[in-house]
Amino acid sequence: MATIIYPEIMKKGFPYTLDLSGHPTIDAFIDWQAGHREEMDASILASGALLIEGLDIDSIATFGKVAGAMEEEFTDYIDISYQRRRLSANVYISTEYDAAFPIKMHNELSYANYWPSRLLFCCTLPSATGGETPLADSREVLRRLNPDIVKEFSAKKVRYVRNLHDGQGLGPSWQDTFKTDDRKQVESYCIREEMKWTWKPDGGLKLEATRPPVRQHPRTGESVWFSVAELYHPCHFEQEYYEALLAEADGDEEGLPLYSSFGDGTPIGNELVQEIIGTIEKQRQLRTWKRGDLLVLDNMLASHGRMPYTGKRQILTYLCK
């Protein structure tokens, strides 16, 4: 690996950490990183994540300036399971999912054929308690998973089902998901993504896609666990929320906003899902956010989530092409 500048403050591990406290201003950092992309790139590929501390990123505009200088924007940010509110041209709020509940570990858009290569997160307002963004090494998760589970999932693949309403209902609408009300545009996207679609009599949309749970990183060639089968599975929902969703779906689990099965349509057992979740959680790394922290993730090499929290919290995100 190429030599990293500031070697006395670069710590290897997961994630690699670069402490710039008392060093560059925002403009100085932007100038520095432009000349050291190779070193930073090598550190991200080696670890899967790079945490940069000590930058004075205190606003949406400042984060957008830094992120735009570091990476090219991922422009196809549609077809997402959980909506993110756009704050500026290329900056989103990380999530507004209920603060009382955790968000399970996942790789962004791993149920799709196209996904952002990297994610940038920045903390402009840490929560009073909790609110960590846990990380897990996707290579290590694959190595630690029960080989029988990996074999079964790899042979059968994962079928992801989503039910999007027409503007009235629980979960996202298809208009919000695809940022359009043009059905032909949605269908064209589905064709590109090799995704089956069904327009429902009530105006809603059912989507089905079958994907492999293990992928190879295009640059390192390493195999990674790249699946959100457990996030889509019915046992993932909190019981009260699950019962409300199931009632709206007339008792049919495949009518839930999110659902996963094996690729042949057979159910994935709860015990398999819980074992996958347990393996991933054993690999989780937790760290309390500090104002100004900048986290760069390789979206295939590292999964992320969100812990419950109290108080106000603002974590910004930028998705990279």
Side-chain angles (χ1 to χ4, degrees):
M1 182 184 299
T3 302
I4 305 289
I5 198 168
Y6 301 123
E8 73 282 4
I9 47 180
M10 168 66 77
K11 298 178 182 178
K12 294 184 178 181
F14 181 70
Y16 272 37
T17 303
L18 181 60
D19 186 353
L20 301 184
S21 300
H23 286 268
T25 63
I26 293 296
D27 287 338
F29 171 73
I30 289 175
D31 290 342
W32 170 80
Q33 64 83 33
H36 294 83
R37 292 181 183 273
E38 182 179 341
E39 294 96 327
M40 294 183 69
D41 187 57
S43 68
I44 295 166
L45 289 176
S47 172
L50 174 63
L51 173 65
I52 303 172
E53 300 177 301
L55 290 176
D56 188 23
I57 302 177
D58 58 359
S59 68
I60 296 167
T62 303
F63 174 59
K65 179 179 179 180
V66 172
M70 293 177 66
E71 299 281 356
E72 184 179 354
E73 180 187 5
F74 181 75
T75 55
D76 293 334
Y77 194 40
I78 60 175
D79 187 26
I80 52 177
S81 297
Y82 294 96
Q83 297 301 307
R84 282 192 167 115
R85 182 163 48 93
R86 186 188 291 268
L87 301 177
S88 71
N90 51 17
V91 175
Y92 294 80
I93 197 74
S94 64
T95 180
E96 292 177 311
Y97 187 73
D98 193 327
F101 299 108
I103 297 177
K104 292 288 193 299
M105 306 297 290
H106 61 283
N107 306 82
E108 201 71 21
L109 287 171
S110 58
Y111 52 84
N113 274 338
Y114 300 89
W115 52 81
S117 60
R118 289 180 179 170
L119 312 176
L120 273 63
F121 293 100
C122 179
C123 175
T124 55
L125 180 64
S127 54
T129 64
E132 301 93 344
T133 297
L135 307 177
D137 186 327
S138 300
R139 294 164 289 194
E140 190 63 24
V141 167
L142 181 60
R143 286 191 286 265
R144 299 282 182 173
L145 276 170
N146 183 331
D148 291 337
I149 290 180
V150 176
K151 183 178 179 180
E152 183 174 14
F153 271 78
S154 296
K156 296 180 178 179
K157 299 186 179 180
V158 179
R159 173 173 166 264
Y160 298 106
V161 177
R162 283 176 293 160
N163 290 283
L164 309 175
H165 59 74
D166 190 32
Q168 298 292 325
L170 296 173
S173 69
W174 64 264
Q175 293 92 338
D176 286 339
T177 297
F178 291 100
K179 311 280 193 300
T180 183
D181 57 6
D182 185 336
R183 291 191 175 195
K184 291 298 182 184
Q185 284 189 31
V186 174
E187 292 171 5
S188 295
Y189 177 87
C190 291
I191 292 170
R192 190 191 83 169
E193 278 285 327
E194 301 175 82
M195 188 159 51
K196 180 181 176 182
W197 72 91
T198 304
W199 294 106
K200 299 181 178 182
D202 63 2
L205 174 65
K206 180 179 180 179
L207 301 171
E208 302 173 64
T210 301
R211 311 294 189 206
V214 176
R215 302 266 193 177
Q216 277 65 51
H217 194 280
R219 296 184 61 190
T220 71
E222 296 167 293
S223 295
V224 298
W225 184 255
F226 199 66
S227 168
V228 284
E230 62 278 12
L231 199 64
Y232 274 53
H233 196 270
C235 72
H236 156 257
F237 295 109
E238 298 293 332
Q239 187 62 32
E240 185 176 344
Y241 188 46
Y242 167 77
E243 290 174 358
L245 292 173
L246 192 63
E248 186 168 280
D250 296 325
D252 178 12
E253 284 193 331
E254 196 161 313
L256 296 172
L258 301 176
Y259 177 77
S260 64
S261 70
F262 284 119
D264 60 7
T266 57
I268 302 172
N270 289 1
E271 67 284 353
L272 292 182
V273 173
Q274 293 303 331
E275 186 168 349
I276 293 170
I277 292 173
T279 301
I280 295 172
E281 290 188 345
K282 286 179 181 177
Q283 305 308 312
R284 286 190 324 188
Q285 301 289 329
L286 287 177
R287 178 190 168 279
T288 302
W289 281 108
K290 294 185 292 187
R291 191 186 303 271
D293 283 349
L294 176 63
L295 178 65
V296 185
L297 298 185
D298 184 295
N299 186 39
M300 292 190 74
L301 299 179
S303 62
H304 64 283
R306 193 215 62 194
M307 302 303 290
Y309 67 93
T310 63
K312 294 183 178 180
R313 175 184 186 268
Q314 187 175 66
I315 307 297
L316 309 176
T317 189
Y318 180 101
L319 289 85
C320 311
K321 188 172 182 179

